[in-house]
Amino acid sequence: MVEPTDRSSTAGQRLGAPESFGVSTLEPGLRPPTQPPGKLVSIRVQMLDDTQEVFQISQRSPGKVLFDLVCAHLNLTEGDYFGLEYQDQRKMTFFPPDHTQLMEELTRYLFALQIKHDLACGRLICNDTSAALMVSHIIQSEIGDFDDTQSWQHLLHNKYLPDQDAIRDKITDCHRKHVGQTPAESDYQLLEIARRLEMYGIRLHPAKDREGIKLNLAVAHTGVLVFQGYTKINAFNWSKIRKLSFKRKRFLIKLRADPNSHHDTLEFAMASRDCCKIFWKICVEYHAFFRLFEEPKPKPKPILFTRGSSFRFSGRTQKQIIDYVKDSELKKVPFERLSSLLLGSSNNRNRSPSSGDSPLGSPHVVVNGNGPVNDQVMGSPSVLGPGQSPERQQLSPLTSPLLTEAGYVRNDDEDEARRKKFPTDKAYFIAKELLTTERTYLKDLQVITESFQSIVGKDEAFPDPVKNLISANYDPVYKFHQGFLKEVEQRLAQWEGRSNAHIKGDYQRIGDVLLKNIQGLRQLTIHLQKHSECLVELERACRTSRKVETLCREFEQQRVCYLPFNIFLLRPLHRLLHYKLILERLCKHYPPTHDDFRDCRAALADISEMVLQLQGTMMKMENFQKLLELKKDLTGIDGLVIPGREFIRLGCLSKLSGKGLQQRMFFLFSDSLIYTSRGMTPSNQFKVHGQLPLYGMTIRESEEEWGVPHSFTLFGQRQSVVVAASCAAEMERWVEDIRLAIDLAEQSSSPDTDLLSSSLSENKLSEDGGAEQEMEDELCSSRSSLERQGHRGNTTVHVCWHRNTSVSMVDFSVAVENQLSGNLLRKFKNSNGWQKLWVVFTNFSLFFYKSHQDDYPLASLPLLGYSVTVPSESENIHKDYVFKLHFKSHVYYFRSESEYTFERWMEVIRSATCSASRSLPSTRKDLY
């Protein structure tokens, strides 16, 4: 809101087009304050939270300069939703249909203030139940948890509704249910209720129809709306509108041809030509902002004469804002809610004014800590997570010297000298890979045998049979690999000449060590076969006991458990594949006459037999484990983990609806396809909106039909859905996998499998703007038990969401085989020195440690969406064996110690950054 120094201007008017203050035209009779050319103008701007700031700009400056100054003052990144206007009205330029797409907590807070203002002035019309519920969330945000005396006094002295006294008891009853809810969560709930109301974001423009009946026109993200009083009587979606125009004071809507309609042009009379033109311009802005992918190009100026308006929408579209915020390195700047600070409620002692959800930033390195992942770049300040107060916040490891430029150890000469002492034979580096990955594997086993068992051993609720089963079948494996690792370390020390033992014999080989220990490992086959039973029994215990489930979820939040716990349970089976691949490389490298060839070939035969024996169990457990992980990431779904169901692909697609293209997370199984949206809950789960059974489904590319790039239509027996992929390659992957899934569903004997819980009707209503009462019942419950589980927010699902990509079960299976550990030197794009780190590649991510002895990683970098290349000459990286990771503007350089390790890192990272083809390695061909 803008208050000119000369207050003679008409109040309550929206400021003008891009050349003035904002993005629309001036209302009749309104002119900006005039000043002599070139002089500074002082303009007082009143914010939505009622604070005021004075800005000085040149009188010749365009209005965008003032608006940009305001956004910069607020640290507001998603400012395109907002606008400035003259005194007595507060205005959002655009009301987002889905507030979960807003990345910034500050943006959501400002929208919450707008809703609060609209309620107070009577503009947001709704029933008493909705009004009471919204006010209760506003009060929770301002004064904290319910206190009988304080809450009652607060309502007496603050006006949130024109007729507030009549429903005061309803407001306090709702407020009682919000105990523990943070201000950020209150904003979320407020916007969730408001966005489903018929008058949400509606600004009425008086008009008359052909018969002279008084009506009101409005525009929303869906299209043009017609109201009689406050009742919506008609709606014209953008997809049905061919053209919008005005002639003098007549507003014209031309519709696409419809055999069921007699009129293709609708006409409304407005108060004046200016009113008509203003409404037309707002419609043009709304259509461009919500429907277009990119800002429209300006209309070329005519040479001789003009015809019609040259007005075009100026600014970023909603999609461009979402992509910009998601992909940028902007710091999340903390802010304070003024009302909470002024009140100083004792209930707010443990509540942070700036607490809120920090989404995983697409290209950013993330901290492996408690709760959802902080959105940070290496070396940037830490951000508070949901419910965290400044007192409880731990210093981010990324701000320590370890992972910042200030902490670089410039030991290039020392490292080069040490490297020259090592053997250069490829077999040595293959053996060293065995050593480095064995160190990581032993640390992973410790997560089960030491960290997890120490927790469950103290808890009486954890069932003894499951506890004993895990201990009996993992402890012997861990003890065996302790001895194995010690033998490998001794052999590598001898190979490198760091021991006098090399004088007595030739120790530049590894086959004898592998053969001896793989023969020993065969004696543990009975335990390896039991590991699948451990996974099943642990899941059964979690399903039957809430305490056990809570215990396991809390353990997953510990930093030592840097991956989902079930993945650790499958590590011994996966390690067999690694031994097999290492031995295959050794046998390929050695000539048959080499002394080490015979032992390597014998060890390869033994391990291949073990892999073949356990292969069926391994693939079943991988699918089972993936279903269990998805169960934690989804809410609103029942019976996901059932025999016979196979996971195929997950990832982002844009779903076309009346609201335009909206980002949705899709999950493809062998019998159905479900689509979800990302929730803003403490657990960051994805909320299911709908299910498409695959039995009888057909698929057709439909880019020409809908004019949306990379789109295709899914025709089900009950409904059809139009979706669009981010690129042609993504569309090809989805279409291929969906066709595969349809074939699998046709072979199934149960075509009507229903994954979704009874809450699907509510979810579907929320997707399509359904009945109000169901929405209120759903929101009154505040948070479900699933939402209270603190599931970590950096899973593959969340990375796919923020990188707008997808991953298949084939990719997961390839990732199982492509794991690597070792020391790397790392450098940022704009730094000089190289920093030595222990790096582990697994689960599509790089995990960074100070050394291999650390118990947990200090930071991680999800690689989905990144590219791996070698630096160009212009980058001035004059070192050997350097590879480059980059995603848009984010660049990291890594140095390896040899040509072999360089090629291995490139190979495994490419497996994470490039989607796997359908042709699988021989051990994985039976995946489907």
Side-chain angles (χ1 to χ4, degrees):
M1 176 163 36
V2 175
E3 181 182 345
T5 51
D6 176 8
R7 298 189 60 175
S8 61
S9 302
T10 305
Q13 306 298 321
R14 184 180 179 188
L15 291 171
E19 64 275 7
S20 181
F21 297 103
V23 292
S24 186
T25 56
L26 295 173
E27 298 268 344
L30 176 64
R31 293 293 180 268
T34 57
Q35 297 287 342
K39 290 192 175 181
L40 293 178
V41 181
S42 295
I43 300 181
R44 183 182 296 113
V45 179
Q46 185 167 336
M47 311 298 177
L48 280 161
D49 61 0
D50 292 326
T51 59
Q52 294 187 2
E53 292 291 336
V54 176
F55 298 90
Q56 284 194 333
I57 63 171
S58 168
Q59 197 268 340
R60 293 177 176 175
S61 298
K64 189 176 184 300
V65 172
L66 174 62
F67 183 72
D68 289 344
L69 285 173
V70 174
C71 290
H73 171 75
L74 293 173
N75 294 311
L76 180 61
T77 305
E78 299 166 306
D80 305 71
Y81 290 98
F82 301 88
L84 300 176
E85 59 183 14
Y86 285 116
Q87 191 69 24
D88 293 343
Q89 285 195 29
R90 306 169 197 193
K91 176 66 178 173
M92 302 293 169
T93 304
F94 303 109
F95 283 78
D98 184 0
H99 61 93
T100 62
Q101 292 182 332
L102 301 175
M103 297 293 188
E104 297 281 324
E105 183 193 340
L106 173 59
T107 314
R108 292 192 294 273
Y109 171 55
L110 293 176
F111 270 109
L113 292 177
Q114 177 69 60
I115 298 301
K116 174 184 172 183
H117 179 265
D118 286 358
L119 280 171
C121 69
R123 178 183 287 161
L124 184 56
I125 307 298
C126 60
N127 62 29
D128 288 350
T129 304
S130 296
L133 194 54
M134 285 190 286
V135 172
S136 71
H137 286 299
I138 294 172
I139 297 173
Q140 175 72 17
S141 176
E142 292 185 346
I143 69 173
D145 293 343
F146 177 78
D147 176 87
D148 203 353
T149 303
Q150 184 191 30
S151 300
W152 191 260
Q153 288 294 323
H154 188 77
L155 278 171
L156 284 176
H157 294 96
N158 293 273
K159 200 76 168 176
Y160 296 103
L161 296 167
D163 54 349
Q164 179 172 296
D165 294 343
I167 61 169
R168 193 180 301 163
D169 290 338
K170 265 191 174 183
I171 295 171
T172 56
D173 287 342
C174 291
H175 188 195
R176 282 189 181 94
K177 301 174 183 177
H178 305 329
V179 174
Q181 188 168 284
T182 66
E185 291 167 341
S186 297
D187 292 345
Y188 173 88
Q189 298 289 359
L190 174 65
L191 296 175
E192 183 69 16
I193 300 165
R195 75 181 179 98
R196 306 187 196 187
L197 300 176
E198 193 163 73
M199 296 301 293
Y200 166 71
I202 296 300
R203 300 295 183 257
L204 300 176
H205 297 254
K208 295 180 180 178
D209 64 8
R210 291 174 186 256
E211 284 74 36
I213 298 174
K214 290 184 178 180
L215 302 170
N216 289 305
L217 298 181
V219 62
H221 62 279
T222 55
V224 180
L225 312 176
V226 183
F227 287 81
Q228 196 161 31
Y230 293 112
T231 304
K232 185 169 66 176
I233 61 173
N234 213 338
F236 304 101
N237 288 345
W238 296 122
S239 58
K240 297 179 181 178
I241 297 175
R242 183 167 57 88
K243 184 179 180 182
L244 293 175
S245 61
F246 68 95
K247 293 181 180 178
R248 297 183 177 86
K249 64 178 184 179
R250 291 182 297 130
F251 183 76
L252 305 174
I253 302 176
K254 294 187 178 180
L255 304 175
R256 299 187 185 278
D258 184 354
N260 300 322
S261 175
H262 300 291
H263 303 286
D264 65 349
T265 303
L266 302 172
E267 183 178 313
F268 300 90
M270 306 189 80
S272 66
R273 180 187 181 278
D274 285 342
C275 291
C276 203
K277 185 175 182 180
I278 288 168
F279 183 65
W280 172 78
K281 285 189 172 184
I282 294 173
C283 291
V284 171
E285 293 169 354
Y286 262 75
H287 176 268
F289 184 76
F290 288 109
R291 295 281 288 185
L292 300 184
F293 284 171
E294 297 179 352
E295 177 183 355
K297 296 179 181 179
K299 187 177 181 180
K301 293 183 179 180
I303 299 175
L304 298 176
F305 58 89
T306 62
R307 182 178 180 182
S309 173
S310 61
F311 174 76
R312 289 291 185 275
F313 170 72
S314 174
R316 297 180 297 187
T317 65
Q318 184 184 44
K319 184 179 186 304
Q320 287 176 315
I321 298 171
I322 293 171
D323 291 344
Y324 170 74
V325 176
K326 186 190 300 181
D327 298 337
S328 65
E329 289 186 344
L330 298 171
K331 296 179 180 178
K332 300 286 190 278
V333 180
F335 67 94
E336 295 179 337
R337 287 170 166 78
L338 183 65
S339 54
S340 297
L341 295 178
L342 291 176
L343 288 162
S345 168
S346 60
N347 288 344
N348 288 320
R349 281 195 299 263
N350 296 322
R351 293 157 57 88
S352 166
S354 59
S355 64
D357 293 315
S358 298
L360 174 66
S362 317
H364 300 332
V365 177
V366 297
V367 177
N368 185 7
N370 295 332
V373 181
N374 289 338
D375 185 9
Q376 340 183 5
V377 186
M378 277 192 171
S380 66
S382 180
V383 184
L384 293 182
Q388 283 185 299
S389 64
E391 294 84 2
R392 292 169 55 197
Q393 184 191 14
Q394 296 181 349
L395 179 66
S396 166
L398 300 186
T399 61
S400 70
L402 169 66
L403 295 178
T404 59
E405 288 186 36
Y408 281 142
V409 180
R410 292 174 172 81
N411 56 355
D412 294 352
D413 295 337
E414 177 187 344
D415 185 72
E416 290 290 344
R418 182 171 177 269
R419 185 183 304 174
K420 289 176 182 177
K421 296 179 182 178
F422 287 163
T424 57
D425 182 31
K426 183 177 179 180
Y428 161 78
F429 291 109
I430 297 175
K432 192 169 182 180
E433 180 182 334
L434 171 66
L435 169 65
T436 56
T437 54
E438 190 71 12
R439 283 172 173 166
T440 297
Y441 173 54
L442 201 66
K443 282 289 185 183
D444 288 349
L445 286 177
Q446 282 181 331
V447 174
I448 304 170
T449 59
E450 295 182 5
S451 304
F452 182 70
Q453 291 193 45
S454 67
I455 295 294
V456 301
K458 303 172 186 175
D459 197 293
E460 296 180 357
F462 199 89
D464 287 334
V466 181
K467 192 187 309 180
N468 296 335
L469 181 68
I470 292 175
S471 176
N473 290 290
Y474 283 92
D475 289 355
V477 175
Y478 174 63
K479 186 176 180 181
F480 170 81
H481 284 280
Q482 281 182 305
F484 185 15
L485 175 60
K486 188 174 294 184
E487 289 188 39
V488 175
E489 286 176 334
Q490 290 173 350
R491 177 54 56 87
L492 264 292
Q494 293 164 347
W495 201 330
E496 293 168 359
R498 291 185 284 125
S499 168
N500 291 331
H502 71 284
I503 300 174
K504 303 174 183 177
D506 181 14
Y507 289 100
Q508 294 187 349
R509 54 197 175 97
I510 196 68
D512 58 329
V513 176
L514 278 166
L515 178 59
K516 172 192 169 185
N517 283 279
I518 286 175
Q519 288 174 343
L521 190 59
R522 293 189 66 171
Q523 308 304 314
L524 299 175
T525 302
I526 184 64
H527 296 297
L528 297 175
Q529 289 172 332
K530 288 280 188 177
H531 288 176
S532 60
E533 184 181 343
C534 294
L535 180 59
V536 172
E537 291 303 317
L538 181 61
E539 169 59 19
R540 182 176 287 119
C542 290
R543 228 173 27 236
T544 56
S545 170
R546 177 60 59 86
K547 288 185 178 179
V548 173
E549 182 184 33
T550 303
L551 182 70
C552 292
R553 297 295 79 80
E554 288 177 351
F555 177 73
E556 278 197 323
Q557 299 307 309
Q558 295 190 14
R559 288 185 290 181
V560 70
C561 190
Y562 67 100
L563 296 171
F565 182 64
N566 288 339
I567 291 181
F568 291 102
L569 293 175
L570 296 180
R571 277 292 197 246
L573 296 175
H574 296 159
R575 188 59 177 157
L576 302 180
L577 296 173
H578 304 158
Y579 294 144
K580 182 173 181 290
L581 293 170
I582 286 171
L583 282 162
E584 285 175 345
R585 282 195 289 273
L586 284 168
C587 290
K588 186 177 180 180
H589 168 69
Y590 286 136
T593 56
H594 195 281
D595 293 341
D596 208 22
F597 178 76
R598 180 180 298 177
D599 287 339
C600 287
R601 187 172 61 179
L604 177 59
D606 286 345
I607 197 66
S608 298
E609 184 179 342
M610 290 184 67
V611 168
L612 188 62
Q613 183 180 357
L614 295 168
Q615 180 180 338
T617 300
M618 195 184 309
M619 288 190 290
K620 286 179 182 177
M621 287 302 101
E622 283 176 18
N623 184 70
F624 180 61
Q625 184 272 330
K626 188 51 57 185
L627 293 176
L628 293 179
E629 279 305 300
L630 294 181
K631 187 175 121 180
K632 289 187 288 186
D633 277 319
L634 299 176
T635 181
I637 186 168
D638 279 344
L640 179 64
V641 185
I642 61 172
R645 175 166 296 131
E646 296 181 21
F647 163 72
I648 297 178
R649 180 175 288 276
L650 63 86
C652 275
L653 292 170
S654 296
K655 180 177 176 289
L656 186 63
S657 66
K659 302 175 183 179
L661 284 171
Q662 292 185 308
Q663 185 179 2
R664 292 287 179 258
M665 196 72 182
F666 280 73
F667 298 84
L668 177 63
F669 302 98
S670 56
D671 54 0
S672 60
L673 176 69
I674 65 172
Y675 54 94
T676 67
S677 64
R678 181 176 179 270
M680 301 295 288
T681 65
S683 56
N684 282 321
Q685 288 174 298
F686 286 81
K687 182 179 179 181
V688 176
H689 283 297
Q691 172 191 3
L692 302 170
L694 297 178
Y695 189 85
M697 178 183 283
T698 57
I699 183 171
R700 184 180 72 202
E701 296 183 18
S702 50
E703 182 172 331
E704 294 183 1
E705 179 181 356
W706 294 100
V708 178
H710 320 306
S711 62
F712 53 95
T713 305
L714 303 169
F715 298 93
Q717 293 182 336
R718 288 179 278 184
Q719 68 178 113
S720 299
V721 173
V722 180
V723 294
S726 59
C727 62
E730 273 291 290
M731 184 184 80
E732 184 180 347
R733 295 181 194 118
W734 274 106
V735 170
E736 180 183 1
D737 278 350
I738 291 174
R739 284 177 175 152
L740 166 69
I742 291 173
D743 291 341
L744 292 175
E746 295 292 341
Q747 300 167 14
S748 172
S749 58
S750 54
D752 297 322
T753 302
D754 192 357
L755 295 179
L756 304 185
S757 65
S758 58
S759 64
L760 173 59
S761 58
E762 298 171 7
N763 293 336
K764 187 62 181 173
L765 287 167
S766 70
E767 170 84 0
D768 299 330
E772 193 175 79
Q773 187 58 48
E774 285 87 345
M775 172 270 296
E776 288 161 4
D777 294 340
E778 181 183 342
L779 289 176
C780 281
S781 63
S782 183
R783 284 178 281 176
S784 68
S785 60
L786 277 174
E787 290 169 341
R788 284 192 289 269
Q789 297 175 6
H791 186 51
R792 70 171 65 246
N794 63 341
T795 63
T796 305
V797 177
H798 290 84
V799 178
C800 285
W801 172 263
H802 288 283
R803 303 278 172 84
N804 198 18
T805 186
S806 67
V807 175
S808 71
M809 191 62 199
V810 175
D811 297 317
F812 281 110
S813 297
V814 171
V816 164
E817 298 178 358
N818 288 291
Q819 298 186 24
L820 197 58
S821 306
N823 286 311
L824 286 174
L825 297 174
R826 190 201 56 198
K827 188 179 91 71
F828 294 111
K829 179 170 60 175
N830 299 318
S831 62
N832 296 319
W834 293 85
Q835 180 186 22
K836 188 175 183 179
L837 295 170
W838 176 262
V839 183
V840 174
F841 170 78
T842 186
N843 205 40
F844 306 107
S845 299
L846 294 178
F847 294 90
F848 301 99
Y849 302 73
K850 188 174 181 180
S851 76
H852 70 84
Q853 297 172 330
D854 292 352
D855 290 329
Y856 52 82
L858 296 171
S860 64
L861 177 63
L863 294 178
L864 292 173
Y866 268 77
S867 297
V868 57
T869 58
V870 293
S872 63
E873 286 291 331
S874 60
E875 293 172 274
N876 295 319
I877 306 294
H878 304 299
K879 299 290 182 182
D880 294 331
Y881 315 129
V882 176
F883 60 92
K884 169 185 171 184
L885 281 172
H886 55 103
F887 178 86
K888 298 189 176 177
S889 61
H890 309 273
V891 177
Y892 306 98
Y893 300 100
F894 294 90
R895 284 172 60 194
S896 53
E897 64 177 345
S898 68
E899 183 179 0
Y900 171 81
T901 52
F902 167 78
E903 290 174 351
R904 284 291 292 136
W905 280 106
M906 290 281 284
E907 179 185 352
V908 298
I909 290 176
R910 281 198 179 114
S911 73
T913 57
C914 304
S915 185
S917 65
R918 185 60 68 205
S919 57
L920 298 176
S922 58
T923 58
R924 324 295 291 170
K925 286 182 179 177
D926 296 329
L927 182 63
Y928 293 118

